[in-house]
Every structure is written in C-alpha cells, then in structure tokens.
Amino acid sequence: MSFFALRENVQIENIAIGVFDGLHLGHQKILQTLLSQGNSENCLVLSFDPHPLVIISPEQAPPMLISLAQKKTLLHLYGISHVLFIQFDQRFRQLTAEAFLTGLKQIFPRLKTIVVGEDFRFGWHAEGNVNFLKEMGKKLKFETLVVPPLTFNGEPIASTRIRKAIIERNFGLASELIGRSYRIEGVVTTGQGAGKEIGFPTANLKDVVQLLPPSGVYGCQVEYKKEIFLGVVNHGRRPTIQEEGKLVIEVHLLNFKGNLYGEKLSLFNFLFLREEKKFDSLYALKSQIEKDIQRTKEFFLPKFPQ
C-alpha cells in the first residue's frame, strides 16, 4: 500500500520497522521485543515491498530468502496480527527521514514505541539512523528500542550470511541462522515430459522468487497439501535431454501418483547429491537417478520414517 494513502489508525501503539528478509532469528528477536511492549492488537510490523534496493540500486538488489506470501504467513505464525507492507517506489524513496516519521506519527497518533535493528537506515539517501530515530522520538513523543544483532558461532546473524550459506550449499548453517528449514516454494507448471518417459516424472516449478542453491541435484523433503514426501530435485539445464536448455528447477516426488499441475509445492531440508552432468544416454541418466533416489532414502528415512 502507498504510504501516502494510509488513513489514521488509533489502535496501533507499537511498530517494528524493517525489510525482514528471511525472518531469521535476529528478526524474530525484534518481533519478540515488539510484542513485549503491548499485545497482538496494538502491535504492527511495517515492512516494504519490493526490497528498497530494487528501486534504489537494482543491480545490487539481493535475491529474496522468502516470498511476500511466506513473509505474511510467518509473521502471523510468530504472533503478529497486524502487518503493513509499504510500496517502496520513487516517491516514497524521496521522502526525508523526518517527513517519514512525522507522517508515521500522524497516521498512528497513539504511537509510543518503534522497534528496529541497530543497522536500520531510512529516508532519502538513507539519512536516518537509530540516533536520528531517538532524537525524533523526543520530539514526537515515542520511544526507540534498538535490538542488537544476535550472533551464531561468534558472527552476527544476517540475511547476507544466510545467502552465502545457501550459495555454498551449507543448508545446515542456513537453517540454524533462520531458526527453521530453508524453503523454496513454487507452482507446478507443464514441462517437456522427459522425466515421465524414463519412469521418473518431475514437477517443474515456476514463480520461484527465493534464492536458489547452485545448479545440481539434491535430495529434499516436499510438502504438498500438508503431506510430506521425499523428493529428488534437479536445478539446472538438463543437458542430457536438451542442448543449451533453459535453467529449470524440477522435483521428482517419491511414492507419489497424481496430477500436480497448478499446485503449490514447498521444498526443504536439502541434501546435495551431485553436480548436474550430461550422460551418454537416457539409460545412463535413468541409472544415475535410481542411485540419487536410493541415496535420498538412505539419508532421510532413518530420520523421518514414512
């Protein structure tokens, strides 16, 4: 929603502000601090869509760790009843830090607490920081609570660190920093049907906005309509099937029969199996997929019996 179209709200008294990409453990600490100031009815999380860097410096905009839909779901899961996503566009970008806070106080006249992380910046050219926020709080009569970053193994928990872990296929570390399994979500679309021809039908995913791990073959768990399946994922160009194919992400669900087209799948608990490669024949590819499936079962079934 446009910041300039917001109407007065006399219910909200406490606001946490941030991008909150990934909603990792550090972000969750901010949410806990917010809720400690009031209750679910007078607390609000204010975030931005798209990520500010998409507008400010598109070439530096990071891939998202969670989609907007995931963020909404997780915020409610963490006890936040009121969520507001401000449309970050050129007009909002040019708003000064003082004008933003003055406008915020006008929209939420009972505002008494703002909660942010210590690296929070806002306003035109990122002129506002936590010190400015505290000074403006004296003028506008609200308190500023600054939540220091949490650390893990001596380093701060941050979205950039999580992205690095995923790119390095260190899914265990990524999950530790997030506080839950890293998930990729997408909607099943039509593919070439090549997997079905060799006995391993795959669900091709579209509308995936989250950061993907490097190309390769992975074992994983797949959630579909609240049921959990094992899966083997290929993220790559399928060189055995098609020369210079486009980059795709596809998953074969073990022990599943049915039509998944148009359905949403959530992939998590990734296990790197191997790099993608071109095989001499479809028979050789099929033989390798059988090995991938066996290794996936050997890894997951002792931990998650089905």
Side-chain angles (χ1 to χ4, degrees):
M1 176 177 285
S2 171
F3 180 75
F4 307 98
L6 294 175
R7 297 182 178 181
E8 183 180 278
N9 183 314
V10 297
Q11 179 181 359
I12 299 302
E13 299 179 2
N14 311 287
I15 301 178
I17 309 175
V19 176
F20 301 119
D21 183 31
L23 278 173
H24 54 62
L25 290 176
H27 296 146
Q28 292 169 43
K29 181 64 176 178
I30 292 175
L31 301 183
Q32 293 164 8
T33 303
L34 171 69
L35 291 174
S36 72
Q37 300 304 302
N39 55 60
S40 62
E41 293 306 313
N42 62 18
C43 291
L44 168 79
V45 166
L46 189 156
S47 192
F48 309 98
D49 182 55
H51 190 292
L53 282 177
V54 171
I55 302 300
I56 297 170
S57 182
E59 67 281 358
Q60 296 181 12
M64 294 292 94
L65 293 173
I66 55 176
S67 66
L68 190 63
Q70 282 178 298
K71 190 180 293 187
K72 291 177 181 178
T73 299
L74 287 167
L75 284 169
H76 288 298
L77 182 66
Y78 294 145
I80 305 300
S81 298
H82 301 290
V83 181
L84 175 62
F85 289 96
I86 295 296
Q87 180 181 350
F88 199 100
D89 53 19
Q90 287 293 349
R91 184 184 178 192
F92 182 76
R93 174 194 177 188
Q94 295 172 17
L95 199 64
T96 66
E98 182 173 358
F100 169 67
L101 292 176
T102 301
L104 200 65
K105 182 66 175 182
Q106 291 172 345
I107 296 164
F108 303 103
R110 296 182 62 183
L111 177 64
K112 65 179 185 180
T113 310
I114 291 180
V115 185
V116 295
E118 68 176 24
D119 60 349
F120 179 65
R121 302 296 296 267
F122 65 105
W124 179 237
H125 293 309
E127 62 186 355
N129 56 21
V130 294
N131 291 328
F132 181 81
L133 196 57
K134 291 177 180 179
E135 288 301 313
M136 285 296 294
K138 297 175 183 177
K139 177 180 177 181
L140 298 175
K141 294 182 172 49
F142 64 78
E143 181 183 8
T144 299
L145 297 182
V146 181
V147 180
L150 293 182
T151 61
F152 181 80
N153 288 343
E155 296 182 42
I157 296 175
S159 299
T160 51
R161 188 179 175 193
I162 296 168
R163 292 188 190 96
K164 183 174 183 291
I166 293 168
I167 291 171
E168 294 175 349
R169 297 178 173 135
N170 192 344
F171 303 111
L173 175 59
S175 295
E176 290 275 12
L177 301 178
I178 295 172
R180 60 184 187 278
S181 295
Y182 179 68
R183 287 181 177 248
I184 294 171
E185 294 185 349
V187 176
V188 179
T189 186
T190 54
Q192 294 179 321
K196 187 175 182 180
E197 290 181 6
I198 59 174
F200 302 107
T202 59
N204 291 57
L205 299 184
K206 67 174 182 177
D207 301 333
V208 178
V209 300
Q210 302 97 324
L211 172 65
L212 295 173
S215 294
V217 179
Y218 302 83
C220 73
Q221 291 181 283
V222 183
E223 182 174 356
Y224 169 58
K225 292 186 175 180
K226 298 185 178 180
E227 285 193 68
I228 306 298
F229 299 86
L230 295 184
V232 173
V233 182
N234 180 60
H235 177 220
R237 301 185 185 277
R238 302 182 294 183
T240 308
I241 305 296
Q242 182 179 0
E243 291 286 348
E244 299 181 1
K246 66 177 182 179
L247 195 64
V248 299
I249 181 164
E250 55 185 347
V251 56
H252 170 68
L253 273 65
L254 279 59
N255 301 321
F256 176 84
K257 292 183 180 180
N259 188 348
L260 291 171
Y261 293 128
E263 301 287 355
K264 186 177 80 170
L265 300 181
S266 179
L267 283 53
F268 62 104
N269 281 348
F270 293 91
L271 167 70
F272 176 63
L273 297 174
R274 60 179 174 86
E275 299 287 354
E276 185 183 46
K277 61 174 287 187
K278 182 176 181 179
F279 291 88
D280 294 333
S281 66
L282 290 179
Y283 176 81
L285 172 61
K286 179 179 180 180
S287 178
Q288 180 60 58
I289 293 174
E290 290 172 346
K291 295 176 183 177
D292 297 335
I293 290 173
Q294 183 59 33
R295 187 176 168 195
T296 297
K297 289 180 177 179
E298 290 173 353
F299 179 83
F300 283 103
L301 288 181
K303 300 178 180 180
F304 309 99
Q306 295 184 322

